[in-house]
């Protein structure tokens, strides 16, 4: 390979798309490092404190796409304080000079736009400028709109961009008997290229009739932000989507609706069922019956996120037999320590069946009543596991040690409200060099244990987070820490930590 010109190698590298493979290529030799550096256009940063933006820009001067993660994963459950850090502004300041009138920043000569996503932006936008931008972008394939884009503008955009493959709608509220609805329905009928549909941030259920013509071609449907769609309207929509490979939906679909998905969507590969009311006291509308139906009807399923009200070992064992190709299995029972609701036993055997049957499992999230036994199963059978999230589980330090000793490819471990302490934390500190991060909150870890870890592993950042009850300058080492976040870094200790974050 060293005899090939750099231009040839750069063209070969274009076919290497996985971030991990690109990283490996750059380590082969200095020549490959240089070629990969200048040809790399997409970068994934799993922890914004693992590197600073200036070093990233220096390393990859041709960067066009950056995926950046800030707060630890448990931030989604309000366990990480709001002002803990993970601020995106330093990255924005380093990557761009201004965000002011951003639509006007596209010059009239710009006709190469491929993807535009502003679904999460609040406030008004210049609709006229948006329409002109879409009209002069014949290569636009993906467009995600915010609530600020009304139905009549959507109709005109669809007429100007019939080549769209991925569409996210904004405000979809209108009278189905109106002229605007008739026009948008006609516009959808001309969009034969759309394969991915999402959005419906505001929706009148009867307006869904307008998208029925494109449903037979859809491979991806995301209704996780559409609480206004439920019942028969939702089921009728799903029945038109026979080619779906990816479905994100709220639990208001119910077990009956999931049975319809199972009988209709034989190509389904990824399913996420979110709680329509995550703070409603465990009133999820789906149970183990819906999960079993999906596993029986969708043999190609390999990734699932399932929020439910109850679960049984028998159901999990059946799911493991029906879908041995799972690479991601995340189950969240809204009552976190609830046992098998039929036998009142822990769910160890059910999750044990998952890790034993699914040989390629890379990501696992568990809930329900669990003992150390399930961690023994994980350490024995989950050979490919890279990320594990657990809560309210285990009996002793043995549980955590089973995982750390057995899962050789583990990269991220997230633990909350579990009885693991210093013995498990310090048993094999060298393991953390091969991991991206470890999060522990409301466990039995002490300040002294964290200090010992920091001394032994100076290349790791060890953060103690004690919001409210802040530690004194020289507190008792036997004091339990509220939250501990450990991660690898090339940038050293971060400099923007608030007062309640102590970096050891």
């Amino acid at each position: 390979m060293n005899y090939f010109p750099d231009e040839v190698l750069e063209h070969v590298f274009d076919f290497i798309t996985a971030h991990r493979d690109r990283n490996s290529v750059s380590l082969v030799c200095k020549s490959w490092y240089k070629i990969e550096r200048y040809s790399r256009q997409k970068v994934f940063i799993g922890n914004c404190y693992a590197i600073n933006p200036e070093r990233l820009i220096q390393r990859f001067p041709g960067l066009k796409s950056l995926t950046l993660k800030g707060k630890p994963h448990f931030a989604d459950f309000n366990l990480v304080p709001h002002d803990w850090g993970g601020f995106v502004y330093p990255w924005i300041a380093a990557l761009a000079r201004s965000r002011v009138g951003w639509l006007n920043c596209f010059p009239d000569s710009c006709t190469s736009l491929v993807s535009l996503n502003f679904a999460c932006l609040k406030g008004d936008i210049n609709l006229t400028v948006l329409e002109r931008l879409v009209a002069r972008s014949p290569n636009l394939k993906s467009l995600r709109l915010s609530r600020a884009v009304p139905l009549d503008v959507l109709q005109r955009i669809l007429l100007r961009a019939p080549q769209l493959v991925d569409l996210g709608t904004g405000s979809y509220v209108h009278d189905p008997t109106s002229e605007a609805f008739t026009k948008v329905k006609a516009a959808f009928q001309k969009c034969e290229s759309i394969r991915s549909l999402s959005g419906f941030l505001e929706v009148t259920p009867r307006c869904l009739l307008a998208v029925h013509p494109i449903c037979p071609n859809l491979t991806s449907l995301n209704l996780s932000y559409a609480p206004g769609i439920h019942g028969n309207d939702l089921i009728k929509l799903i029945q038109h989507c026979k080619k779906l490979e990816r479905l994100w939906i709220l639990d208001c679909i119910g077990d009956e609706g999931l049975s319809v998905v199972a009988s209709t969507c034989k190509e389904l590969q990824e399913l996420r069922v979110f709680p329509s009311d995550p703070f409603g006291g465990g009133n999820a509308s789906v149970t183990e019956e819906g999960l079993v139906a999906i596993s029986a009807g969708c043999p190609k399923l390999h990734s699932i996120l399932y929020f439910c009200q109850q679960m049984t070992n028998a159901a999990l064992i059946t799911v493991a037999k029906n879908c041995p190709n799972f690479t991601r299995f995340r189950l969240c029972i809204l009552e976190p320590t609830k046992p098998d609701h039929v036998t009142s036993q822990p769910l160890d055997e059910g999750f044990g069946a998952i890790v034993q049957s699914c040989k390629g499992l890379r990501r696992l999230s568990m809930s329900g009543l669990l003992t150390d036994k399930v961690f023994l199963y994980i350490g024995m059978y989950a050979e490919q596991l890279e990320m594990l999230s657990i809560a309210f589980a285990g009996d002793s330090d043995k549980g955590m040690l089973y995982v750390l000793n057995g899962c050789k490819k583990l990269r991220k471990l997230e633990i909350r409200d579990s009885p693991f302490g210093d013995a498990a934390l310090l048993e094999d500190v060298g393991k953390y060099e091969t991991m991206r991060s470890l999060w522990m909150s409301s466990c039995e870890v002490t300040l002294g244990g964290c200090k010992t870890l920091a001394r032994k592993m100076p290349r790791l950042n060890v953060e103690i987070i004690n919001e409210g009850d802040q530690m004194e300058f020289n507190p008792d080492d036997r004091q339990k820490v509220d939250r501990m976040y450990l991660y690898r870094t090339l940038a050293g200790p971060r400099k923007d930590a608030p007062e309640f974050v102590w970096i050891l």
Side-chain angles (χ1 to χ4, degrees):
M1 292 289 286
N2 289 333
Y3 294 100
F4 285 100
D6 289 355
E7 293 79 7
V8 174
L9 289 178
E10 183 174 338
H11 181 67
V12 173
F13 287 1
D14 287 341
F15 291 92
I16 304 175
T17 57
H19 298 292
R20 186 178 303 175
D21 293 339
R22 297 285 304 209
N23 295 340
S24 299
V25 161
S26 70
L27 300 176
V28 173
C29 61
K30 290 183 178 180
S31 176
W32 285 30
Y33 175 91
K34 179 180 178 181
I35 296 170
E36 202 277 332
R37 174 192 178 195
Y38 286 103
S39 64
R40 183 79 165 260
Q41 296 184 351
K42 297 182 179 180
V43 173
F44 170 79
I45 303 295
N47 176 359
C48 67
Y49 290 119
I51 194 171
N52 58 52
E54 291 76 17
R55 183 166 183 171
L56 175 73
I57 295 170
Q58 182 183 19
R59 170 74 189 277
F60 302 113
L63 183 65
K64 292 185 177 180
S65 174
L66 175 63
T67 301
L68 186 68
K69 288 190 176 183
K71 292 185 178 180
H73 182 66
F74 272 135
D76 296 341
F77 297 93
N78 296 321
L79 293 176
V80 179
H82 175 70
D83 53 352
W84 168 85
F87 302 111
V88 74
Y89 179 77
W91 291 85
I92 295 175
L95 293 168
R97 294 181 178 179
S98 174
R99 300 195 72 190
V100 179
W102 60 275
L103 276 175
N104 289 305
C105 292
F106 291 94
D108 291 339
S109 59
C110 176
T111 60
S112 59
L113 188 65
V114 174
S115 177
L116 178 61
N117 183 347
F118 59 95
C120 294
L121 294 185
K122 297 180 180 179
D124 296 332
I125 64 169
N126 192 321
L127 298 175
T128 302
V129 173
L130 173 64
E131 290 186 49
R132 288 205 305 264
L133 176 61
V134 171
R136 68 174 185 270
S137 303
N139 297 319
L140 186 64
K141 300 297 182 183
S142 177
L143 179 62
R144 304 283 183 91
L145 306 173
S146 70
R147 282 184 169 90
V149 181
L151 198 65
D152 56 336
V153 176
L154 172 64
Q155 178 258 334
R156 294 196 294 269
I157 286 176
L158 292 177
L159 292 178
R160 288 167 170 78
Q163 78 282 358
L164 283 175
V165 175
D166 175 26
L167 174 65
T169 66
S171 181
Y172 205 64
V173 179
H174 232 285
D175 182 358
T177 63
S178 67
E179 182 180 358
F181 174 79
T182 302
K183 287 183 177 180
V184 80
K185 183 178 181 180
F188 268 116
Q189 290 175 335
K190 297 179 180 179
C191 296
E192 299 179 353
S193 299
I194 293 180
R195 297 294 180 269
S196 176
L197 185 63
S198 62
F200 303 102
L201 306 175
E202 296 176 340
V203 63
T204 300
R206 290 184 61 193
C207 283
L208 290 176
L209 295 173
V211 303
H212 281 189
I214 66 171
C215 285
N217 293 326
L218 291 181
T219 59
S220 178
L221 179 62
N222 183 352
L223 299 177
S224 61
Y225 294 99
I229 307 176
H230 47 77
N232 291 331
D233 295 310
L234 184 54
I235 292 176
K236 289 178 181 178
L237 180 68
I238 295 294
Q239 287 174 327
H240 287 80
C241 304
K242 298 183 182 297
K243 295 183 180 179
L244 276 188
E245 298 175 3
R246 178 174 177 264
L247 175 61
W248 292 17
I249 205 162
L250 295 174
D251 63 4
C252 55
I253 190 173
D255 289 335
E256 179 183 356
L258 290 178
S259 296
V260 173
V261 173
S263 62
T264 303
C265 310
K266 297 301 181 181
E267 302 298 315
L268 194 66
Q269 300 177 23
E270 178 184 345
L271 173 66
R272 299 190 183 188
V273 180
F274 297 93
S276 51
D277 183 11
F279 306 107
N283 295 319
S285 302
V286 295
T287 69
E288 75 279 1
E289 294 182 8
L291 182 60
V292 170
I294 286 290
S295 71
C298 305
K300 297 183 179 181
L301 191 68
H302 62 77
S303 178
I304 192 165
L305 170 62
Y306 197 78
F307 284 81
C308 62
Q309 184 176 359
Q310 62 192 35
M311 189 54 56
T312 65
N313 282 306
L316 289 173
I317 293 171
T318 300
V319 169
K321 291 179 180 179
N322 290 340
C323 296
N325 296 320
F326 272 127
T327 58
R328 295 174 178 84
F329 187 86
R330 293 183 285 168
L331 177 68
C332 181
I333 303 173
L334 295 183
E335 295 181 41
T337 58
K338 191 172 185 178
D340 181 317
H341 80 96
V342 174
T343 66
S344 298
Q345 295 297 309
L347 292 173
D348 299 338
E349 299 303 325
F351 282 105
I354 294 291
V355 297
Q356 188 170 1
S357 297
C358 306
K359 303 298 184 182
L361 193 67
R362 297 198 302 272
R363 183 171 183 180
L364 175 64
S365 299
M366 305 186 299
S367 62
L369 181 62
L370 298 167
T371 72
D372 284 347
K373 191 174 184 179
V374 74
F375 299 111
L376 176 62
Y377 290 144
I378 293 172
M380 291 175 60
Y381 300 114
E383 297 179 356
Q384 304 300 318
L385 193 65
E386 297 178 358
M387 181 174 178
L388 174 63
S389 299
I390 54 180
F392 301 96
D395 303 311
S396 67
D397 286 328
K398 289 183 179 179
M400 183 172 171
L401 291 176
Y402 289 145
V403 172
L404 291 176
N405 294 333
C407 301
K408 303 302 182 184
K409 295 187 178 182
L410 191 66
R411 299 172 65 231
K412 294 181 69 175
L413 178 58
E414 301 170 340
I415 307 171
R416 57 166 292 199
D417 297 278
S418 297
F420 308 139
D422 293 345
L425 179 68
L426 301 174
E427 174 73 14
D428 182 11
V429 295
K431 174 71 175 179
Y432 306 129
E433 285 279 13
T434 65
M435 294 172 56
R436 180 189 298 169
S437 64
L438 167 66
W439 170 274
M440 298 183 73
S441 62
S442 300
C443 295
E444 299 298 317
V445 173
T446 68
L447 178 60
C450 293
K451 286 182 176 180
T452 301
L453 177 60
R455 284 195 300 268
K456 290 184 176 181
M457 307 300 291
R459 290 185 295 181
L460 303 176
N461 274 4
V462 182
E463 295 192 4
I464 306 301
I465 308 170
N466 268 41
E467 190 180 22
D469 184 18
Q470 298 182 12
M471 293 183 177
E472 300 175 359
F473 179 74
N474 189 24
D476 188 343
D477 283 354
R478 294 172 297 180
Q479 180 179 354
K480 292 181 183 178
V481 299
D482 186 14
R483 285 157 281 189
M484 188 272 291
Y485 183 40
L486 164 71
Y487 55 91
R488 286 185 299 147
T489 179
L490 298 176
R494 62 186 179 109
K495 298 178 176 60
D496 64 347
E499 292 183 357
F500 55 81
V501 174
W502 188 4
I503 300 178
L504 302 181

